């Protein structure tokens, strides 16, 4: 018996076969990431994969039975994957896993388009917690939908294909940035300066027109997508970093990509519900709006999750209240991995480390644990036993040192429903940066953790 606890590095412990499993799993994850830049992209990708895995569309009017596999795509931005088990849902409850698929980005303003000095721009309003200076001078892609007059939905995705153009937000050259360099990091780039260049070619013969570049770009947009300027007011378009997920390091043990937070948890929970053969009823959720507070019809503060639970309960004549009280939830979200370059932001004994497995956070919050779901000792004990019994590498830590900052997840919204919930995720470096860093060992460990939880 080990009297002392030591955190283990998964790569050190793994044999050749396990190492192959880790690297193979990462290939599927990278492919998923590349197709899942926004919550719409991720939900649609999940729908595609769910159909391939034998899941069928869910209906609130349906009476479910054991063995049913269903998916509920909520307004194209939030998806519930449902696997009905043999166990009595009244006594056994539901095993719920929730990860969010929205990530920090630059949304377009409702009246985004203007021309200045021969360049055409789109104005943005940032979404989620970003360091604004990180979003200039890098290749951006445009993703989203525009509603045309009359109800046609036009999808747009430009900047991901090698032959596509990309979009670009300028920064000031260092030669002239003396004044800018004196500003604090948070103020160096103004939010109103996050305007992306989208064109520079004036319309031929339109020399007299005041905004001839803007006019020319509008003509292009109208030809390609049928949109006019006013249609931006009925759109959800955003700029995200262009390009694909890439291996990092000579050994390729890490992955850098946009949106690890929180697709690095969404992918393992989705794979787990596809791969498990569980007697329990299992639900995996891709949530929207986490980065802005989880409000709205597609966020985890919405009643929709209760509606799904109620529908499952009613199918078996069970009391939904009883079902919720006997349910258990993994709130799968990333945490801040220990970064030796910024050691003072962390407390080393209570940090999570890269490649040391799934990161369990008993509590999150700020200052005196404000606004946290603090998982009970009993539920932590339950989680420890199922992880240890199934060979899951896991570690535990806090998000940074006390009073440095803090953060929250959707855990509290689920536990507020009377469902035991704990945060289990993946440590990330450079969280919320355009390109974040994770370890292949950790995303695979979370997959094994989710499988163990479903089992
Ligand atoms: Mn997150
Ligand atoms: Mn986040």
């Amino acid at each position: 018996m080990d009297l002392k606890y030591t955190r283990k590095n998964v790569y050190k412990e793994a044999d050749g076969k396990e190492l192959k499993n880790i690297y193979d799993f990462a290939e599927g994850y990278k492919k998923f990431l590349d197709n899942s830049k926004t919550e719409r992209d991720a939900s649609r990708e999940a729908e595609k994969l769910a159909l391939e895995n034998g899941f069928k569309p869910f209906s609130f009017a349906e009476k479910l039975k054991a063995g049913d596999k269903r998916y509920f795509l909520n307004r194209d931005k939030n998806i519930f994957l449902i696997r009905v088990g043999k166990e009595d849902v009244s006594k056994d409850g539901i095993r719920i896993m929730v990860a969010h698929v929205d990530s920090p980005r630059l949304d377009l303003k409702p009246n985004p388009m203007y021309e200045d000095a021969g360049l055409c721009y789109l104005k943005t309003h940032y979404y989620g917690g970003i360091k604004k200076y990180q979003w200039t001078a890098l290749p951006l892609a445009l993703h989203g939908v525009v509603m045309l007059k009359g109800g046609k939905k036009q999808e747009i995705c430009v900047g991901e294909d090698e032959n596509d153009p990309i979009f670009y937000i300028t920064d000031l050259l260092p030669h002239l940035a003396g004044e800018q360099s004196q500003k604090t990091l948070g103020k160096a780039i103004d939010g109103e300066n996050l305007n992306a260049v989208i064109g520079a070619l004036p319309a031929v013969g339109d020399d007299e027109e005041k905004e001839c570049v803007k006019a020319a770009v509008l003509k292009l947009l109208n030809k390609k997508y049928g949109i006019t300027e006013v249609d931006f007011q009925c759109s959800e378009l955003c700029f995200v970093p262009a390009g694909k997920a890439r291996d990092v390091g000579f050994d390729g043990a890490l992955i850098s990509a946009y949106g690890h937070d929180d697709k690095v948890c969404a992918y393992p929970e989705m794979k787990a519900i596809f791969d498990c053969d569980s007697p329990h009823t299992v639900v995996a959720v891709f949530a929207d709006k986490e980065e802005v507070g989880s409000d709205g019809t597609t966020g985890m503060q919405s009643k929709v999750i209760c509606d799904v639970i109620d529908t499952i309960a009613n199918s078996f004549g069970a009391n939904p209240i009883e079902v919720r009280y006997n349910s258990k939830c993994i709130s799968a979200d990333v945490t801040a991995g220990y970064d030796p370059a910024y050691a003072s932001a962390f407390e080393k004994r209570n940090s999570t480390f890269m490649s040391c497995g799934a990161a369990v956070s008993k509590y999150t919050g700020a200052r005196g644990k404000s606004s946290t779901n603090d998982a009970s000792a009993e539920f932590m004990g339950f989680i420890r036993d199922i992880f240890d019994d199934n060979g899951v590498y896991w570690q535990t830590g806090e998000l940074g040192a006390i009073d440095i900052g803090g953060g929250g997840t959707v855990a509290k919204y689920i536990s507020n429903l009377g469902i035991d919930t704990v945060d289990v995720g993946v440590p990330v470096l450079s969280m919320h940066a355009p390109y974040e860093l994770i370890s292949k060992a950790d995303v695979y460990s979370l997959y094994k953790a989710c499988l163990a939880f479903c089992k």
Side-chain angles (χ1 to χ4, degrees):
M1 187 177 28
D2 286 335
L3 290 181
K4 273 189 186 167
Y5 165 71
T6 339
R7 187 179 281 106
K8 291 192 173 97
N9 182 297
V10 179
Y11 283 133
K12 259 191 200 163
E13 304 291 319
D15 58 15
K17 192 173 155 246
E18 190 71 343
L19 199 60
K20 188 177 180 309
N21 288 341
I22 291 170
Y23 274 64
D24 285 351
F25 189 82
E27 291 308 308
Y29 171 50
K30 284 187 287 180
K31 211 174 141 200
F32 172 77
L33 263 183
D34 293 341
N35 293 328
S36 304
K37 294 259 173 127
T38 67
E39 66 277 3
R40 283 178 190 271
D41 297 337
S43 299
R44 193 172 38 199
E45 185 70 5
E47 179 187 36
K48 194 187 100 191
L49 296 171
L51 286 166
E52 284 173 21
N53 280 274
F55 284 67
K56 296 196 173 89
F58 164 87
S59 150
F60 286 111
E62 190 178 7
K63 210 168 147 69
L64 296 161
K65 54 187 190 311
D68 282 346
K69 296 195 281 184
R70 296 287 181 270
Y71 73 86
F72 171 50
L73 182 58
N74 179 19
R75 295 164 171 89
D76 286 350
K77 306 204 288 186
N78 158 224
I79 193 166
F80 294 76
L81 303 171
I82 302 153
R83 192 168 185 139
V84 184
K86 290 194 296 276
E87 295 278 353
D88 174 4
V89 280
S90 302
K91 302 278 169 302
D92 192 54
I94 301 172
R95 300 283 163 107
I96 303 167
M97 301 176 287
V98 186
H100 68 92
V101 286
D102 60 318
S103 300
R105 61 183 189 229
L106 303 176
D107 284 346
L108 295 199
K109 290 198 182 199
N111 292 304
M113 213 173 180
Y114 71 99
E115 176 177 335
D116 200 350
L119 299 172
C120 184
Y121 294 90
L122 288 177
K123 289 195 74 64
T124 69
H125 193 137
Y126 65 98
Y127 172 99
I130 63 165
K131 290 165 114 175
K132 298 183 195 78
Y133 73 89
Q134 293 179 332
W135 291 74
T136 62
L138 83 165
L140 296 169
L142 186 67
H143 287 239
V145 298
V146 182
M147 294 307 295
L148 305 184
K149 180 97 178 148
K152 192 191 167 210
K153 192 194 280 188
Q154 177 64 56
E155 307 233 356
I156 295 182
C157 177
V158 182
E160 300 295 354
D161 190 277
E162 269 179 31
N163 300 311
D164 281 356
I166 52 99
F167 307 96
Y168 190 90
I169 295 173
T170 59
D171 193 0
L172 191 58
L173 62 166
H175 317 62
L176 301 180
E179 197 185 316
Q180 184 194 37
S181 303
Q182 298 306 311
K183 293 182 183 173
T184 56
L185 209 55
K187 295 217 164 115
I189 302 287
D190 193 284
E192 293 294 356
N193 263 351
L194 293 175
N195 306 317
V197 176
I198 61 156
L201 191 67
V204 183
D206 275 2
D207 297 345
E208 303 304 310
E209 195 170 342
K210 240 173 78 192
E211 294 183 311
C212 55
V213 178
K214 176 177 163 179
V217 172
L218 275 170
K219 263 185 208 163
L220 282 175
L221 290 176
N222 189 261
K223 200 173 159 205
K224 188 149 189 210
Y225 304 110
I227 65 180
T228 61
E229 190 176 6
V230 73
D231 293 335
F232 283 115
Q233 295 175 6
C234 304
S235 74
E236 281 183 340
L237 289 165
C238 63
F239 288 112
V240 295
K244 292 178 164 28
R246 300 287 293 269
D247 286 355
V248 172
F250 289 110
D251 52 16
L254 309 172
I255 303 171
S256 179
Y258 167 69
H260 281 313
D261 178 8
D262 184 33
K263 268 83 83 174
V264 73
C265 299
Y267 183 73
E269 67 163 43
M270 176 183 71
K271 283 288 285 174
I273 198 171
F274 290 163
D275 297 346
C276 72
D277 184 17
S278 175
H280 308 294
T281 293
V282 181
V283 171
V285 188
F286 281 15
D288 180 29
K289 294 282 178 285
E290 193 277 342
E291 296 294 359
V292 291
S294 296
D295 295 289
T297 51
T298 50
M300 286 316 290
Q301 295 205 62
S302 156
K303 210 180 139 286
V304 176
I305 186 167
C306 280
D307 297 338
V308 170
I309 293 171
D310 289 1
T311 305
I312 295 170
N314 293 335
S315 293
F316 297 95
N319 180 346
I321 299 169
E322 198 182 356
V323 172
R324 285 203 302 275
Y325 269 74
N326 289 320
S327 291
K328 297 174 175 65
C329 176
I330 282 183
S331 161
D333 204 347
V334 297
T335 185
Y338 179 81
D339 187 342
Y342 300 96
S344 65
F346 298 88
E347 191 265 285
K348 211 167 178 179
R349 286 178 189 80
N350 287 286
S351 296
T352 55
F353 288 76
M354 299 298 272
S355 309
C356 290
V360 180
S361 302
K362 185 177 181 297
Y363 50 84
T364 58
R367 303 176 304 281
K369 299 190 182 181
S370 177
S371 204
T372 182
N373 159 61
D374 199 342
S376 67
E378 291 85 347
F379 195 54
M380 288 295 288
F382 165 82
I383 288 288
R384 171 176 67 180
D385 285 345
I386 59 165
F387 287 178
D388 288 350
D389 293 348
N390 289 282
V392 176
Y393 289 106
W394 64 282
Q395 53 181 328
T396 183
E398 296 188 345
L399 190 143
I402 292 174
D403 290 343
I404 293 279
T409 67
V410 300
K412 60 180 174 182
Y413 307 122
I414 317 293
S415 58
N416 287 349
L417 302 174
I419 298 172
D420 273 316
T421 305
V422 65
D423 280 293
V424 184
V426 167
V428 176
L429 300 190
S430 304
M431 195 198 292
H432 285 204
Y435 288 90
E436 304 169 316
L437 193 62
I438 61 102
S439 168
K440 289 179 182 176
D442 298 329
V443 61
Y444 182 68
S445 295
L446 181 61
Y447 165 66
K448 287 183 68 171
C450 290
L451 265 186
F453 178 70
C454 293
K455 202 166 129 181

